[in-house]
Amino acid sequence: MPMLHLSPINWIVQCQDTPSFLKRASTDKLRDVFLKYASMQKDGEHYMTSEDFVRKFLGLFTENAFNDESVRLLAGIADTSKDGLISFSEFQAFEGLLCAPDALYRTAFQLFDRKGNGTVAYDDFAEVVQKTELHSKIPFSLDGTFIKRYFGDKKQRLINYAEFTQLLHDFHEEHAMEAFRSKDPAGTGFISPLDFQDIIVKVKRHLLTPDVKDNLVAVTEGHRVSFPYFIAFTSLLNNMELIKQIYLHATKGTRTEMVTKDELLYAAQTMSQITPLEIDILFQLTSAVNQPGKRWWKRKKIAPSSRIDYSDLSNIAPEHYTKHITHRLAEIKAVDSPNDRSVLIQMLEATYRFTLASFAGATGATVVYPIDLVKTRMQNQRTGSMIGEVAYRNSWDCFKKVIRHEGVLGLYRGLLPQLMGVAPEKAIKLTTNDFVRDKCTDERGNIPLWGEVLAGACGGAAQVIFTNPLEIVKIRLQVAGEIAGGSKIRAWTVVRELGFLGLYKGARACLLRDVNFSAIYFPAYAHTKSALADKDGYNSPLSLLAAGAIAGVPAASLVTPADVIKTRLQVAARTGQTTYTGVWDATKKIMAEEGPRAFWKGTAARVCRSSPQFGVTLVTYELLQRLFYVDFGGSQPKGSQAGKTSMPLGSTLSHAAPNPDHIGGYNAAVPLLAGIESKFGLYLPRFGRVAASSSNTATGS
């Protein structure tokens, strides 16, 4: 079967009537898609041929020298009548099957159910197995005791679906043991390191990453491989997803904590299928993978890693076929490897991030601007300096009065200069934070807490260049509406009145606010996002929004005193109001005239504004990076599945272009077919017999 090479991430099946939901396509839409690809007409009915379904609709085996028999086998999964044609009812039925919770096994079952009677006979099983690439390299004994245990001594027993799932599970383990016996004809219980490599690469290729494949001999240190070691190694490969869960159990869900062998063994005590030998091999394999650049015979004796983290497990385990995906509108690979990151590439990466952050910042600001206006007016409302000056009892009262006296558009007074400034402001904040985070991140992709705080603080400091002029103009426009009958003030009027230096009035208070806000916000966001990720480390858009909003609560509330001082310094005082000469002067006068509670004015409005604003901004920023994906060889947002992933060995086909006609359950069709080979190792020949040798030579397959 061809390696169905998708984007580095695949879909998780989510269909109607299952715990998760992917809405099934309507009959009319499904029929339109079917008729678009159906090239055969018989007795007034339209049908898809094998090539229509596999090559044209699914987009597989697109080469001219494709293997016709492999195409027919795959088409037979949907062709339940086994007449070589796929009717609309069969096409629709397969879409429903793709929505089943056990769709992977059911799809594999229909591949082997050659007669379409709901059972698998020995002849059916043998026919498919004999066509796989694995059987051609290491023939499996179809007359052995394993086959007879399932199909009977006379091979006449029929296997139903439930029994077939166990047969498929056990088949590869038996094939591996049979391969070991073939390499050990004398029955010594040992094979050579090169024989070990040969068996694993051929029998377990669907469970290998390039890093593991390159270190199969190195992990043996040149010694002969015993049968127990061989079984433990294959069992470890089979159970890597379970190993990941054991690690997460040991670290209480944290993916960056380093764990020792003893800690992992302790967490694995309840998992009887994980043995101490498998844990030994895991640490040994991790050490081998982390020793770059030398041939195994030139390396020093491998000392098992003393500690590992989740990234070590990800480097060993192939990406699972069921992964979340965000459909990408664009996908560009700027460099082949991180080593190719030139200064120009890094500048392009900064420009890319700056552009996306600008759109994200503008989106977030627009959504919460009315709240920001209410917050500003509440903070500027003074008590004690003028009798009868209090105009608003609370934030809700302020909101209602703005609408009553100034109309709905009054809630957006000053929005235009805000948008003109917020784009570079948020862009430089996010870009600087990302840049410093990259510099503080180690080769495992982990960053210490001090690095997160430093990155956030640098982002906050950098943004003040844009923030202060933006804030002072915005604030003066926002409070202008408080004066009844006052002339309408425009942004340019404020700028001319203040002058260049005046635009940076209150910059110290702005710096005090923004540095502390970002130093709190970005680490809180990163850790909250990690906590809200699913078991695969993936963050849905909703979890990103929630993480951004939650992180904004402590960040926004704790820096409110600095925000109050900044507001007082930047607002033009009216006749009779107290004036301030600086941060310390404002602090003393506010405390003396209004008491400590004045420093927390507008806290609720500030939290209600900053929390959702940054939630919207961050979710927009990360989703834009997923939708318009560019690989500059650097880091990608964690939880996006856009970073480096370990693909199974043998992923040689070109990327299958997303097909908008894959609707409903068919969104999962190609990933599930890829799962048949990545989980069960059922690779069918990619090329026709005539072109096979030359094509394999050309592709290195």
Side-chain angles (χ1 to χ4, degrees), residues 649-698:
L649 194 65
S651 300
T652 56
L653 289 188
S654 59
H655 285 266
N659 188 343
D661 291 330
H662 290 179
I663 58 177
Y666 279 109
N667 276 307
V670 175
L672 274 174
L673 293 176
I676 290 177
E677 57 181 18
S678 65
K679 184 173 177 65
F680 305 129
L682 297 173
Y683 294 85
L684 294 176
R686 172 182 168 189
F687 297 103
R689 293 182 179 85
V690 176
S693 59
S694 60
S695 297
N696 287 344
T697 302

Side-chain angles (χ1 to χ4, degrees), residues 355-556:
T355 303
L356 298 187
S358 298
F359 283 104
T363 302
T366 302
V367 170
V368 301
Y369 191 81
I371 303 175
D372 185 51
L373 181 135
V374 171
K375 182 270 303 182
T376 300
R377 292 198 178 183
M378 288 299 299
Q379 288 183 339
N380 187 52
Q381 179 170 269
R382 313 178 189 203
T383 56
S385 57
M386 290 183 66
I387 299 175
E389 187 184 358
V390 177
Y392 314 117
R393 295 191 301 273
N394 49 50
S395 296
W396 177 242
D397 183 56
C398 177
F399 179 80
K400 291 188 295 182
K401 287 181 177 178
V402 170
I403 294 178
R404 182 188 311 152
H405 298 298
E406 304 171 49
V408 175
L409 292 180
L411 293 171
Y412 291 92
R413 184 187 289 269
L415 176 61
L416 183 59
Q418 170 80 342
L419 292 182
M420 292 175 62
V422 81
E425 174 209 335
K426 290 296 183 288
I428 198 169
K429 183 192 193 87
L430 294 172
T431 304
T432 303
N433 175 70
D434 285 348
F435 177 80
V436 179
R437 283 183 72 91
D438 287 348
K439 297 303 179 184
C440 295
T441 300
D442 61 24
E443 65 278 0
R444 294 175 178 268
N446 301 327
I447 180 172
L449 180 60
W450 66 263
E452 294 182 289
V453 173
L454 176 63
C458 289
Q463 84 171 82
V464 174
I465 299 172
F466 295 96
T467 302
N468 211 82
L470 166 71
E471 289 276 317
I472 195 168
V473 173
K474 180 196 71 173
I475 286 172
R476 295 205 174 189
L477 290 174
Q478 286 179 335
V479 300
E482 293 180 321
I483 305 174
S487 59
K488 189 173 183 179
I489 298 178
R490 299 190 179 276
W492 181 241
T493 304
V494 176
V495 173
R496 284 189 301 176
E497 180 184 318
L498 289 170
F500 179 77
L501 294 179
L503 290 173
Y504 285 91
K505 185 178 181 180
R508 291 181 180 178
C510 194
L511 196 67
L512 183 66
R513 180 197 67 176
D514 290 343
V515 168
N516 287 297
F517 176 91
S518 298
I520 297 170
Y521 181 81
F522 285 107
Y525 172 71
H527 289 274
T528 306
K529 186 174 78 166
S530 176
L532 294 179
D534 66 12
K535 63 183 182 63
D536 295 316
Y538 174 84
N539 282 103
S540 66
L542 185 60
S543 71
L544 292 175
L545 180 63
I550 291 170
V553 174

